[in-house]
Amino acid sequence: MQLHRDLDAFHAIGAELHVIGNGSPSFIDGFREQTGWRGPVYTDPSLAAYRAAELKRGVTNTLDPRALMPTVKAFLGGGKQGRVQGDQWQQGGVIVIAPGDKVIWQHASDRPGDNAPARDILRALGVHAA
């Protein structure tokens, strides 16, 4: 949701955002409906992409008490958690890949709510956001 709000800023500099989930491909339409996301969406139920990106996975990551406050803030801001679709213990992240498949920046979430701010991603792309 956070990156969705800044989609125009990413597109203005020629960047594209791709979402990779880990649920069944049958969950993609529901994801689009729930989030309003219209960009590219993929899914990797095998978690191979998550392992290749060295993203974190585990019960202690998911149930980390530090995830409570971001969850409450998101809820108060109008966000809502749908039912989990896919591996509930897998954390996400952001990978910025430049032409030539060069990874120029990465954020691996430690826990739910540990999301990379759009300004950090834009900086990695060479744009200094306020």
Side-chain angles (χ1 to χ4, degrees):
M1 291 299 292
Q2 293 171 338
L3 295 180
H4 186 62
R5 291 184 200 121
D6 294 302
L7 193 56
D8 289 342
F10 287 98
H11 286 163
I13 61 170
E16 181 61 77
L17 301 178
H18 295 251
V19 172
I20 302 175
N22 65 48
S24 164
S26 65
F27 295 147
I28 291 175
D29 288 341
F31 171 81
R32 287 187 184 283
E33 185 177 315
Q34 181 180 350
T35 64
W37 181 255
R38 297 292 166 237
V41 178
Y42 309 92
T43 188
D44 176 19
S46 75
L47 302 179
Y50 290 82
R51 284 190 298 277
E54 299 179 354
L55 298 179
K56 298 171 183 174
R57 181 181 182 282
V59 174
T60 56
N61 295 88
T62 303
L63 300 179
D64 189 314
R66 293 175 292 173
L68 182 60
M69 188 52 73
T71 301
V72 170
K73 285 175 76 174
F75 179 74
L76 293 175
K80 62 180 179 177
Q81 172 70 44
R83 74 181 170 96
V84 175
Q85 299 175 339
D87 188 322
Q88 63 187 344
W89 309 122
Q90 180 63 57
Q91 299 306 304
V94 174
I95 302 171
V96 177
I97 302 173
D101 297 333
K102 181 179 178 187
V103 174
I104 59 174
W105 188 82
Q106 181 172 353
H107 170 82
S109 299
D110 285 323
R111 63 194 170 278
D114 178 23
N115 301 316
R119 70 178 175 275
D120 292 352
I121 302 166
L122 288 166
R123 279 192 191 112
L125 291 164
V127 175
H128 296 283

